[in-house]
Amino acid sequence: MKDKKTNKAETETISNGMEKIVSLCKRRGFVFPGSEIYGGLANSWDYGPLGVELKNNIKQAWWDRFVRRRSDMVGIDAALIMNPKVWEASGHLATFSDPLVECKKCHERFRADNIDIDAPCAKCGAKGQFTESKQFNLMLKTFLGPAEEQANVAYFRPEIAQSMFVNFKKVLDTTRRRLPFGIASQGKAFRNEITPGNFIFRTREFDLMEFEYFIEEKEWEKWFEYWQKEMMEWITKDLGINPKKVHEVEVPKEDRAHYSKRTVDFEYDYPFGQKELYGLAYRTDFDLKNHEKFSGQNLKYRDPETGEEFFPHVIEPSFGLDRSVLATLVDAYYEDGGHVVLKLPFKLAPYKAAVFPLLANKPELVELAQKIHGDLLKSFPVAWDDRGNIGKRYYSQDEIGTPFCITVDFDSLENGDVTVRDRDTAKQERIKIKELTEYINGKISG
Ligand code: GAP
């Protein structure tokens, strides 16, 4: 569901726990402030070399789990800007809004459900100066073509869901699926948030991964429960997040999105408080019904056995990708006396291994280490480091979550083996060079 209540902490300076994550992300190239050389832009962020690997690994793991490995799911990749009629039919133009108040003195705007109206303005300190609350639509508007006139107004999508609904009939015709089945997609979504904040938690441009699971109405409770369990499995198994820090929260009617008859939010204990990670909604037949009404096209499902035509109902698991990255990073972060270890699940780690020649000034060690690095790169991403002492190199890889560090020493030249050091246990073992790829692949997939 659209985030409702946020507490004050969200708009304030990032708390201590977050400072460490933000600083690590910037220092090691996971996430950079967007347009920083021009002073940044309204809480926008860019993923750096390590961040893009982590993000892509999460996207790929999600696609594998929910699309590739299932016979009841297919994927699409749709346009970000859709015919504006889509947003009339979906109800977003009328109801996708947050309550907004403005300080009459300094003109700063706030989400009305985000502040204490009787308290002084957080920006200028004026008391009793807030305007009446009015609804502010979150759709991000643009114009298509050269003329900026009403006829050319279009909107960047605030969710992917509508792409799945407008393509429902075509997917059905081309894939001949039978109920129950799902259509999945991943990609950008845009919301003109009044108060973006808390690093990559709330931004105006973000990545979503979601699917619409089409079912018969009488089975909605069964499928809701099924997907609730599957979402929890994804969070704890694929992202490796501690289940104790995840809360399944029943969303009351007044806080649910306009299309939902039941919503359960998965909330995570971020350093700035317990907040939404994902949402699971029962969208009924609201969307297909409205698109049929507004488009005049028949969007009903025809039962191949009985010939009966009806609107399928929909269960929608929705996953914010940036929030997945954030919760995964926060949960993986361990610190012990200044030694930081990112205990990322091996599958998600940007590098699976790092290769070090014991001494950078011994050509025979460097040559063998380079050969091993090149060979391993054919199978997975591998870092290279020949600076400083081995201890420092281990710590540097721990901080970015690299599961295995491989050191090439003088014994390697004699015996054809190397030291492999495990990130989580710090244990070291000698492994034959010719068995390294298989060894690491086994650990990653195991
Ligand atoms: N199609 C359903 C839908 O869009 P939502 O709860 O409004 O539901 C889905 O959004 C998910 O998108 C949220 O659970 C959250 O993970 C993520 N999300 C929502 N707004 C966001 C924002 N401004 N920045 C980053 N992620 C956001």
Side-chain angles (χ1 to χ4, degrees):
M1 62 142 210
K2 180 161 58 64
D3 286 324
K4 284 289 175 194
K5 291 265 181 294
T6 50
N7 65 27
K8 211 161 160 263
E10 239 198 70
T11 51
E12 286 174 349
T13 345
I14 287 165
S15 70
N16 273 341
M18 281 304 288
E19 270 164 22
K20 287 181 181 166
I21 300 282
V22 174
S23 144
L24 170 72
C25 283
K26 197 172 167 186
R27 193 171 67 251
R28 299 305 305 267
F30 281 94
V31 181
F32 304 128
S35 318
E36 197 184 19
I37 60 166
Y38 291 105
L41 174 75
N43 205 59
S44 74
W45 301 92
D46 297 336
Y47 285 82
L50 297 188
V52 73
E53 292 296 329
L54 173 61
K55 188 174 172 184
N56 282 343
N57 289 342
I58 293 178
K59 263 172 99 169
Q60 190 58 52
W62 187 93
W63 196 261
D64 283 347
R65 176 186 260 274
F66 293 116
V67 187
R68 284 229 178 107
R69 286 194 227 124
R70 299 188 62 109
S71 58
D72 60 349
M73 198 79 79
V74 291
I76 62 167
D77 182 21
L80 304 187
I81 300 178
M82 306 176 77
N83 188 315
K85 286 203 181 112
V86 168
W87 308 113
E88 260 179 69
S90 70
H92 281 79
L93 282 179
T95 60
F96 196 62
S97 51
D98 277 338
L100 174 140
V101 288
E102 185 175 324
C103 170
K104 286 186 233 163
K105 196 149 172 247
C106 70
H107 302 291
E108 185 72 10
R109 292 170 169 193
F110 301 91
R111 258 175 74 167
D113 58 348
N114 203 4
I115 58 163
D116 176 2
I117 296 288
D118 299 320
C121 167
K123 177 131 187 258
C124 71
K127 243 191 137 186
Q129 291 296 314
F130 289 119
T131 56
E132 285 292 304
S133 154
K134 62 175 183 192
Q135 288 299 317
F136 171 76
N137 194 285
L138 300 180
M139 302 283 288
L140 200 70
K141 215 187 227 180
T142 189
F143 296 93
L144 294 185
E148 291 195 7
E149 55 198 35
Q150 189 54 33
N152 294 340
V153 165
Y155 303 90
F156 287 94
R157 64 185 185 190
E159 61 169 6
I160 313 182
Q162 299 309 321
S163 314
M164 269 83 91
F165 295 125
V166 302
N167 283 301
F168 169 72
K169 217 38 196 278
K170 274 175 269 132
V171 171
L172 204 56
D173 291 347
T174 51
T175 64
R176 301 191 169 277
R177 295 285 147 163
R178 288 189 180 195
L179 296 186
F181 78 97
I183 309 179
S185 201
Q186 302 177 321
K188 291 279 180 203
F190 301 82
R191 295 180 191 180
N192 203 3
E193 299 280 1
I194 298 168
T195 46
N198 268 326
F199 194 36
I200 52 175
F201 176 80
R202 188 190 307 284
T203 48
R204 295 192 170 118
E205 161 186 352
F206 57 96
D207 271 276
L208 262 179
M209 313 184 285
E210 54 188 13
F211 51 87
E212 310 306 314
Y213 198 72
F214 299 96
I215 52 167
E216 287 186 42
E217 180 180 6
K218 62 177 189 280
E219 296 193 320
W220 81 264
E221 275 149 318
K222 176 181 105 180
W223 285 113
F224 195 96
E225 214 174 280
Y226 170 83
W227 284 115
Q228 193 172 342
K229 282 204 190 100
E230 287 290 307
M231 288 178 86
M232 200 61 179
E233 283 272 309
W234 156 261
I235 295 169
T236 53
K237 300 269 160 56
D238 290 67
L239 300 186
I241 288 176
N242 178 354
K244 291 201 182 108
K245 290 182 150 190
V246 185
H247 313 276
E248 292 166 86
V249 179
E250 192 71 45
V251 178
K253 191 167 189 278
E254 62 275 17
D255 286 345
R256 289 202 293 261
H258 58 279
Y259 48 72
S260 176
K261 205 163 166 187
R262 184 180 174 200
T263 299
V264 167
D265 277 351
F266 291 79
E267 298 188 343
Y268 176 72
D269 292 328
Y270 299 95
F272 45 86
Q274 180 182 321
K275 303 241 166 267
E276 182 177 339
L277 173 62
Y278 301 145
L280 170 67
Y282 169 39
R283 290 183 83 126
T284 69
D285 57 358
F286 175 89
D287 301 272
L288 286 177
K289 219 180 213 167
N290 273 339
H291 283 306
E292 177 167 307
K293 193 165 127 202
F294 278 73
S295 69
Q297 305 280 320
N298 178 354
L299 295 182
K300 293 184 200 74
Y301 172 82
R302 190 184 173 85
D303 187 304
E305 259 129 54
T306 64
E308 187 201 352
E309 276 203 337
F310 59 93
F311 289 111
H313 278 231
V314 171
I315 305 292
E316 178 195 63
S318 186
F319 308 69
L321 176 54
D322 306 273
R323 287 193 194 175
S324 308
V325 172
L326 181 58
T328 302
L329 280 172
V330 168
D331 218 75
Y333 187 95
Y334 287 82
E335 196 181 343
D336 183 8
H339 174 205
V340 173
V341 186
L342 265 194
K343 294 194 177 178
L344 294 169
F346 294 169
K347 260 196 195 137
L348 304 185
Y351 292 116
K352 308 306 174 201
V355 176
F356 314 148
L358 180 65
L359 298 168
N361 58 358
K362 295 284 173 207
E364 61 277 34
L365 293 184
V366 173
E367 198 182 315
L368 179 58
Q370 277 173 343
K371 163 105 182 47
I372 293 170
H373 183 243
D375 286 347
L376 294 180
L377 271 178
K378 291 174 196 153
S379 303
F380 36 74
V382 190
W384 170 268
D385 194 357
D386 57 9
R387 296 157 310 155
N389 66 44
I390 292 291
K392 277 200 183 135
R393 294 186 223 170
Y394 284 156
Y395 276 29
S396 171
Q397 293 302 320
D398 286 347
E399 199 182 43
I400 59 171
T402 308
F404 301 101
C405 289
I406 297 161
T407 305
V408 177
D409 54 22
F410 292 103
D411 286 345
S412 308
L413 302 173
E414 299 291 313
N415 307 332
D417 59 9
V418 287
T419 300
V420 178
R421 181 250 192 197
D422 183 304
R423 176 196 72 193
D424 299 332
T425 61
K427 281 205 182 112
Q428 303 184 6
E429 47 181 324
R430 295 297 288 188
I431 302 287
K432 290 281 172 213
I433 294 169
K434 58 179 188 313
E435 289 164 13
L436 267 177
T437 305
E438 201 185 329
Y439 174 84
I440 292 170
N441 266 332
K443 295 272 187 185
I444 298 167
S445 55

